[in-house]
Amino acid sequence: MKGAILQYDPAYLDVERNLAAVDGLIDSLDADLLVLPELFAAGYFFKSSEDLRSVAETADGRTVEQLKAWSRDKNAVIVAGFPELTASGIYNSAAVVSPQGLVGVYRKVHLFYREKELFQPGDLGFPVFDVKDRNGEPYRLGVMICFDWYFPESARSLALSGADVIAHPSNLVRKDCPRSMPIRALENHVFTVTANRVGGEESDGELLTFIGQSLACDPAGEVLCSFTREGVGVETFSFDPKTSRNRDITATNNLFGDRRAEVYRLA
Ligand code: ACM
């Protein structure tokens, strides 16, 4: 099947401009799975909780409805970040949509820097979703958002729950993620798809510069496709999610079978 990553430069708080920009960039999309960045239509470095509230939406709001329309139109599963408005506060979430509609939502577990002042920490764990490629072949899709990569437990939890592919919408500012994702893929024997943004945003005199360098990795830790720091557009890659499932390392070793959960320290 074919995966796709969109990397671009969203405009702060300008949801309509951002949806129109993405619409143009994916005009000729030909892929089974498309991953967009974290908070892809909203902007990231919110100057106030009022600014965040002005773009927060429920999971049946403008942004997710647009994702569903793209998914139907392009016949692709889409994973994309949005600020999710709920009765218990605003979450930094990602929606998974298929041509049939909303498959599910993931809420970012590990909040980065000033996100802690604005968002609720994710309360849905690390769910894994059942989806299909364009030939009707089922595969299992996990989601983590940006800074979750820093905690190996995120990708491990998803892999242990059966994810073949980890979609990773991001707004990366730290340089270490692009060289760490091949290891996350290798140590869990999964595909990873990191969609980052470019550009910069300023709040309270502080500038955050987003590092681009989106990338997809295979279960051997090889990079299947990657962007530059500045690149804008869609890159695609071919892969077979099923090939993640055989975790034999040698004739007598298996990545999950050889785990010694009883000797690991989790807290
Ligand atoms: C991040 O988690 N957006 C750095």
Side-chain angles (χ1 to χ4, degrees):
M1 64 178 257
K2 228 156 132 187
I5 297 174
L6 172 75
Q7 177 169 296
Y8 89 121
D9 181 6
Y12 184 66
L13 302 187
D14 198 343
V15 174
E16 289 306 325
R17 177 265 186 206
N18 294 330
L19 295 178
V22 173
D23 195 58
L25 289 165
I26 65 170
D27 187 42
S28 55
L29 182 80
D30 169 20
D32 302 82
L33 170 67
L34 168 68
V35 183
L36 303 181
E38 176 182 13
L39 300 170
F40 82 99
Y44 175 77
F45 201 23
F46 296 102
K47 296 181 201 300
S48 64
S49 51
E50 290 71 35
D51 274 9
L52 171 58
R53 188 156 281 275
S54 75
V55 288
E57 300 177 24
T58 54
D60 57 3
R62 169 81 177 100
T63 296
V64 178
E65 287 305 314
Q66 182 63 68
L67 292 172
K68 289 195 229 169
W70 285 329
S71 180
R72 279 193 305 272
D73 191 35
K74 317 288 179 198
N75 194 17
V77 170
I78 302 180
V79 183
F82 74 107
E84 187 192 4
L85 182 64
T86 75
S88 52
I90 300 173
Y91 294 86
N92 184 342
S93 296
V96 178
V97 299
S98 76
Q100 287 70 46
L102 181 68
V103 177
V105 167
Y106 164 69
R107 296 175 176 162
K108 187 175 186 178
V109 166
H110 302 100
L111 298 176
F112 179 71
Y113 192 38
R114 285 166 51 188
E115 288 175 41
K116 290 188 175 189
E117 298 158 18
L118 296 163
F119 293 99
Q120 298 299 311
D123 58 353
L124 300 175
F126 287 102
V128 172
F129 304 103
D130 289 303
V131 291
K132 291 189 173 135
D133 70 13
R134 289 179 289 185
N135 291 323
E137 274 286 313
Y139 65 99
R140 306 204 77 210
L141 180 62
V143 184
M144 62 184 193
I145 297 179
C146 203
F147 191 49
D148 284 329
W149 77 267
Y150 212 102
F151 303 85
E153 295 86 351
S154 311
R156 181 64 109 205
S157 298
L158 289 167
L160 285 173
S161 294
D164 302 313
V165 184
I166 296 177
H168 183 210
S170 295
N171 276 188
L172 294 163
V173 293
R174 295 178 63 93
K175 68 175 182 355
D176 355 56
C177 183
R179 62 194 161 94
S180 299
M181 287 313 294
I183 306 303
R184 292 289 168 278
L186 173 74
E187 69 197 0
N188 292 294
H189 208 263
V190 288
F191 292 90
T192 63
V193 188
T194 299
N196 193 23
R197 61 164 288 179
V198 295
E201 283 179 10
E202 177 274 332
S203 175
D204 277 343
E206 183 179 6
L207 176 69
L208 288 189
T209 302
F210 303 98
I211 65 164
Q213 302 174 79
S214 301
L215 75 167
C217 305
D218 77 8
E222 301 294 338
V223 174
L224 298 174
C225 94
S226 62
F227 284 73
T228 62
R229 291 185 82 88
E230 302 82 21
V232 165
V234 175
E235 293 282 344
T236 59
F237 54 96
S238 296
F239 70 113
D240 180 354
K242 292 195 295 298
T243 59
S244 68
R245 295 175 198 161
N246 180 350
R247 291 191 165 85
D248 291 342
I249 300 168
T250 70
T252 62
N253 293 104
N254 179 274
L255 178 62
F256 286 176
D258 282 9
R259 290 180 71 247
R260 302 280 315 281
E262 72 282 9
V263 299
Y264 299 153
R265 180 165 169 174
L266 269 185

